[in-house]
């Protein structure tokens, strides 16, 4: 979605565009659809449309699913109505140059995600939390 064309879209077209981008981002968190969601969300804000009900939540969860934790933290920091939603702290001992597969280990006490490489060492267990109706799972 081109930001220049979003500014000329009728108001009634913005929500379907946001929903379409949200569906695409849900199907593949690494897709550019999250950036499209952000563009439409910015257009809502530019037009003075209240995004507090479900739009902000949708943006936040899409950012978290795409592992954009810093961006999610910045998003929440300027939205007091969702400031109570904890953004996990990311610990990445593998670093940005790591080329293998990885997962995040969640520590509920510290509310942190530690990135670890796959396959796991012998004796370790991988537990995945999935939704029963989620086609991605």
């Amino acid at each position: 979605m081109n930001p220049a064309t979003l500014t000329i879209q009728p108001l009634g077209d913005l929500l379907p565009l946001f929903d379409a981008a949200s569906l695409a981002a849900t199907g593949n968190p690494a897709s550019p659809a999250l950036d499209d969601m952000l563009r439409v969300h910015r257009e809502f804000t530019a037009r003075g449309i209240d995004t507090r009900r479900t739009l902000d939540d949708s943006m936040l969860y899409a950012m978290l699913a795409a592992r954009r934790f810093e961006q999610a933290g910045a998003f929440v920091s300027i939205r007091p109505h969702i400031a109570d939603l904890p953004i996990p702290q990311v610990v990445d001992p593998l670093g940005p140059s790591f080329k293998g597969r990885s997962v995040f280990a969640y520590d509920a006490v510290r509310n942190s995600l530690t990135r670890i490489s796959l396959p796991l060492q012998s004796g370790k267990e991988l537990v995945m939390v999935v939704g029963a109706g989620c086609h991605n799972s």
Side-chain angles (χ1 to χ4, degrees):
M1 290 181 216
N2 183 334
T5 59
L6 284 176
T7 61
I8 60 171
Q9 290 295 321
L11 182 60
D13 289 351
L14 292 180
L15 187 57
L17 288 171
F18 183 85
D19 288 343
S22 178
L23 284 171
T26 300
N28 180 4
S31 81
L34 176 58
D35 294 322
D36 291 332
M37 285 178 71
L38 282 165
R39 286 184 194 96
V40 177
H41 192 277
R42 284 188 199 110
E43 185 60 26
F44 283 135
T45 303
R47 294 189 192 193
I49 296 169
D50 188 352
T51 59
R52 289 178 292 180
R53 295 196 69 191
T54 58
L55 299 175
D56 288 351
D57 291 339
S58 295
M59 279 303 326
L60 176 60
Y61 294 126
M63 289 175 191
L64 293 174
R67 298 181 175 187
R68 293 190 188 182
F69 301 112
E70 288 181 29
Q71 189 176 27
F75 185 79
V76 167
S77 72
I78 59 172
R79 289 170 176 80
H81 60 282
I82 57 174
D84 61 334
L85 299 173
I87 306 298
Q89 297 299 314
V90 178
V91 179
D92 188 3
L94 301 177
S97 62
F98 179 76
K99 299 290 184 203
R101 293 180 183 253
S102 65
V103 294
F104 284 102
Y106 181 63
D107 181 335
V109 174
R110 294 183 356 193
N111 189 33
S112 66
L113 294 167
T114 302
R115 189 168 167 229
I116 57 176
S117 65
L118 288 178
L120 297 174
Q121 298 171 357
S122 178
K124 298 280 184 172
E125 186 175 348
L126 175 63
V127 177
M128 296 178 66
V129 179
V130 299
C134 176
H135 68 281
N136 295 316
S137 300

